[in-house]
């Protein structure tokens, strides 16, 4: 069985998946209903969305929808999601993970230990990161991204719930507001809109999607034709092309 650990806010979920695809979660029923069901977007019927797309004129998308069954758009904490995507600039996944864990270890509370005795920390809020010393940032080693995280934490420290208030904004208002933060461009804002605010019509375009457009759509891929699910379609295509290329 494959096993995973997932810290979210002040909780840690240990989950596993067996060879038949069954998922096991180590949590209370209360936490499942309150935290994990919304986090995994379990109330949304992805099968109905896929079946309603009718991609008969798009064989590559049809393949992607089939290979990507089981994909879900996580509803991550907006603050942690925003920080993580700012850190993701020009970094691979292990480096991003190391940076996020460094922030958590430096400023978050110890939550528990995993099965191998490794500590798991809560991700620190903007007020906590805002008080980091020079030595703290030196230990974490964020490179040029440090200035973005410092400014973001300083902007949000007086009002740490500001990002939560963005849930009531329209997609365009949300994008406009996120783009005001130092170090946030269209790609990061789209990613945060999709993965923290559940805006399934926001489709981040990265190097992988540029390759999909070039190699499978003659450079003319138009995800807006799948509105209001352009962002979800992007995830199916993203997953499928990485499976094809073995990445």
């Amino acid at each position: 069985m494959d096993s995973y650990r997932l810290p979210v806010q002040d909780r840690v979920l240990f989950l596993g998946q067996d060879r038949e695809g069954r998922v096991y979660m180590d949590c209370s029923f209360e936490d499942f209903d309150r935290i994990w069901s919304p986090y995994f977007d379990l109330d949304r019927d992805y099968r109905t969305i896929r079946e309603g797309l009718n991609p008969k004129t798009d064989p590559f998308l049809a393949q992607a929808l089939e290979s990507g069954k089981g994909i879900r758009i996580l509803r991550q904490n907006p603050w942690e999601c925003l920080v993580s995507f700012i850190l993701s600039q020009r970094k691979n996944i292990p480096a991003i993970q190391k940076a996020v864990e460094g922030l958590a270890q430096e400023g978050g509370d110890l939550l528990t230990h995993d099965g191998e005795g490794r500590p798991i920390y809560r991700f620190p809020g903007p007020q906590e990161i805002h008080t980091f010393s020079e030595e703290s940032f030196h230990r974490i080693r964020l490179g040029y991204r440090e200035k973005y995280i410092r400014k973001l934490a300083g902007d949000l420290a007086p009002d740490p719930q500001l990002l939560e208030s963005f849930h009531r904004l329209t997609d365009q208002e949300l994008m406009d507001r996120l783009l005001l933060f130092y170090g946030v461009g269209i790609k990061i804002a789209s990613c945060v809109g999709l993965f923290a605010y559940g805006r399934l019509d926001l489709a981040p375009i990265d190097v992988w999607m540029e390759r999909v457009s070039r190699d499978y759509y003659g450079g003319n891929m138009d995800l807006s034709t799948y509105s209001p699910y352009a962002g979800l379609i992007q995830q199916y295509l993203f997953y499928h092309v990485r499976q094809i290329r073995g990445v």
Side-chain angles (χ1 to χ4, degrees):
M1 177 185 293
D2 294 325
S3 60
Y4 308 89
R5 59 181 175 86
L6 184 62
V8 173
Q9 299 179 34
D10 61 346
R11 293 287 193 277
V12 179
L13 178 67
F14 292 94
L15 66 163
Q17 185 172 25
D18 63 22
R19 293 181 179 179
E20 285 72 43
R22 290 172 296 202
V23 175
Y24 300 85
M25 298 185 180
D26 181 15
C27 64
S28 67
F29 288 108
E30 179 184 359
D31 279 354
F32 176 81
D33 291 335
R34 184 175 63 88
I35 300 174
W36 304 114
S37 181
Y39 184 84
F40 290 110
D41 202 24
L42 295 182
D43 291 333
R44 196 186 307 275
D45 188 344
Y46 284 75
R47 175 184 292 179
T48 297
I49 293 174
R50 289 197 310 273
E51 292 176 348
L53 290 172
N54 189 27
K56 292 182 179 179
T57 60
D58 190 338
F60 186 72
L61 177 57
Q63 296 170 16
L65 293 176
E66 183 64 27
S67 69
K69 286 181 178 179
I71 281 178
R72 307 201 74 83
I73 303 298
L74 301 182
R75 300 294 296 274
Q76 301 175 49
N77 173 269
W79 159 250
E80 186 171 350
C81 186
L82 180 55
V83 171
S84 298
F85 276 110
I86 288 176
L87 293 176
S88 73
Q89 300 176 70
R90 300 183 183 278
K91 274 183 176 286
N92 56 31
I93 291 176
I96 299 166
Q97 183 179 10
K98 182 178 179 180
V100 170
E101 290 180 346
L103 288 169
Q105 183 174 356
E106 193 67 35
D109 302 320
L110 177 65
L111 296 177
T112 187
H113 293 79
D114 65 15
E116 298 180 4
R118 292 172 298 194
I120 302 174
Y121 295 90
R122 173 185 58 80
F123 191 77
Q127 293 170 317
E128 292 163 313
I129 292 181
H130 184 52
T131 63
F132 277 10
S133 65
E134 294 292 338
E135 291 75 14
S136 292
F137 280 110
H138 179 72
R139 282 191 290 269
I140 303 168
R141 298 182 181 277
L142 301 180
Y144 73 87
R145 304 158 196 83
E146 178 184 320
K147 60 181 180 291
Y148 301 144
I149 301 304
R150 281 179 180 266
K151 182 66 166 60
L152 181 66
D155 289 344
L156 293 175
D159 186 6
Q161 296 303 311
L162 178 63
L163 293 177
E164 292 294 335
S165 72
F166 291 0
H167 280 287
R168 64 173 179 262
L169 301 177
T170 66
D171 286 2
Q172 188 57 57
E173 289 170 341
L174 176 62
M175 287 290 292
D176 291 343
R177 189 60 187 83
L178 290 172
L179 287 168
L180 293 178
F181 291 120
Y182 183 47
V184 175
I186 292 176
K187 177 193 168 185
I188 292 177
S190 299
C191 288
V192 174
L194 179 61
F195 294 111
Y197 294 94
R199 307 305 176 88
L200 298 191
D201 209 24
L202 296 180
I205 302 299
D206 62 3
V207 64
W208 283 99
M209 297 313 297
E210 290 173 352
R211 290 171 183 166
V212 169
S213 179
R214 181 189 67 234
D215 296 345
Y216 300 97
Y217 294 91
N220 296 311
M221 181 179 67
D222 183 7
L223 293 177
S224 67
T225 60
Y226 293 102
S227 182
Y229 300 115
L232 177 57
I233 295 302
Q234 184 265 3
Q235 285 298 291
Y236 284 114
L237 295 171
F238 176 83
Y239 175 80
H240 187 51
V241 74
R242 294 194 61 153
Q243 290 294 107
I244 290 174
R245 303 200 179 195
V247 179

